[in-house]
Amino acid sequence: MDTIITRFPPSPTGYLHIGGVRTALFNWLYARKTKGKFVLRIEDTDAARSTKESVDTILESLEWLGIDWDEGPYFQTERYDIYNEYIKKLLESGAAYYCSCTPDEVNAMREEAKAKGQKPMYNGKCRARNLEKADNTVVRLKTPDTGVTIVKDVVKGDTAFQNSEIDDFIIQRSDGSAMYNLAVVIDDITMGINTIIRGDDHLINTPKQMLIYEALGADLPVFGHVPMVLGADKSRLSKRHGAMSVGEYKNMGFLPDAMINYLVRLGWSHGDQEFFKRDELIEKFDLEHLGRSASMFDTNKLISLNAKHIQGTSPEELADHLLFHLNNLGIKAKNDKFTQGVIETLQPRSKTLVDMAKAAEFYYLNEIEFDEKAAAKFLNSDILDMLEKAAGYIDDIKEYNQEELENIFKQIMEETGLKFGKIAQPLRVALTGTTISPGIFEMLLALGREKTVNRIKAAIKFINA
RNA sequence: GUCCCCAUCGUCUAGCCUGGUCCAGGACACCGGCCUUUCACGCCGGCGACAGGGGUUCGAAUCCCCUUGGGGACGCCA
């Protein structure tokens, strides 16, 4: 087989949503897996709705997800000359013709067809009129009246469409611009796209597009129509289902790798495996195991996968992503040993990076603010002696490591007669302000000796006040 | 209205193509327990599905038909 060339063609009429990302992912994965090429094309022929901002956010989202492209972005609005060239060919060969019917007239035709219990269609009125180009003429493709067009689809199998169900659709508007179905086909032909994975809302467009390939004598690509992603109520994903854009998921503290893992797994499977690292996805992805039925977006599953990715990613790499969320909390941190140590203590107990950033906050504070209940329960004069000892011993040890710290705890337990829990919990409040934190030793280590001692002293002051 | 697609636990899915190893496996969520210095992680267990009806067959989640349900498309949008 020749080099696989896939593409992702978003229209810049809004942010990049989850369903779009998923099809982008399938195409990207397939290209990467086969060492092929992945082309990015912006379908901006709808002048009224396309915006530069949308293009920017789409590009940003793809970059955040780590979906890179080998060619493009191409813009359809810059390719009108190419489309016109092909439209001219189609006109010359008689495969297309000018039509002067007004929108009102065409509407009437549709109503008429509907009344007869048929699919609403243009009736081919201008087909044999041999009209010349004029101000208000559009160009239509002459489609066959009989026979069937069979879409061979790698995920759905064969689907036959009666040609009588396909009307002479418009390929060029009266203002001279190309319509979607034509632009897509011309682009795919000229860009050498040979594998097209897209949402199954396009399945109905496919026979139309095949007719254009045929009229041009071009080779057909491989088609694969994947089911759409539905909201939790089984309806089409829309704003009322909450977060839709990729950027929102970034803000909610999801890792790009988790996002990718979840989205690919939604509609594709590799036996029972749920967790995939990025490279593993590229290695194992295939077209054979794409599902045929629509699936619903489940945030819970995304969250759990995110937690697993947080656990399975190095602190150093995690830090790059966490800094963004720390910054959102007003914490200026760097990707250094300290932050990496902090992360290590938080990895098993964070489901999102937002959780992690919040839980990490106390490490960076200069002064701890004590939770009222926690302080009332644990910071009282009974433990003054213990805190004094802790501050002193910790300050004195030669090596600030787990072994030494454990020894100190043993010593304090002996000297005070307190059980481990009676020491750990007040200390926890002294150091973090609350009763909830990572394990006492790992936290002590991540905090560092200086902060630890200072905080214990501050707690002593607090009790004495 | 017409055409098209789809149908396994609440959700994501394995199994379906190449019928028997499936009184249907995994994961998320939920519930219980264990572990334990708090919170988590982890571990163990539980709950829970082949949409319905007809065929074909010795045998069907798997093949065929119908019904029902869900989704999509019918634009000088993409």
Side-chain angles (χ1 to χ4, degrees), chain A residues 8 45 62 71 115 143-144 228 250 258 270 276 304 311 314 348 362 394 397 408 442 450 453:
Chain A
F8 176 54
T45 55
L62 291 175
E71 266 184 42
T143 62
M228 313 189 36
K250 178 188 178 187
H270 184 77
F276 296 86
S304 98
Q311 288 188 46
S314 74
F362 79 87
I394 290 173
I397 47 172
I408 286 174
E442 44 176 335
E450 197 185 329
V453 173

Side-chain angles (χ1 to χ4, degrees), chain A residues 271-300:
Chain A
D272 284 337
Q273 189 171 350
E274 303 274 353
F275 180 88
F276 296 86
K277 298 288 263 184
R278 181 177 296 256
D279 292 346
E280 213 177 354
L281 236 24
I282 292 173
E283 180 197 326
K284 291 180 173 166
F285 182 76
D286 60 15
L287 266 22
E288 286 71 39
H289 293 86
L290 285 169
R292 286 178 300 269
S293 55
S295 43
M296 306 202 289
F297 191 89
D298 179 15
T299 309
N300 273 330

Side-chain angles (χ1 to χ4, degrees), chain A residues 2-6 30-38 70:
Chain A
D2 296 336
T3 305
I4 298 291
I5 306 178
T6 66
Y30 191 55
R32 289 291 167 266
K33 188 222 168 74
T34 61
K35 304 254 190 295
K37 282 204 293 192
F38 178 65
D70 306 300

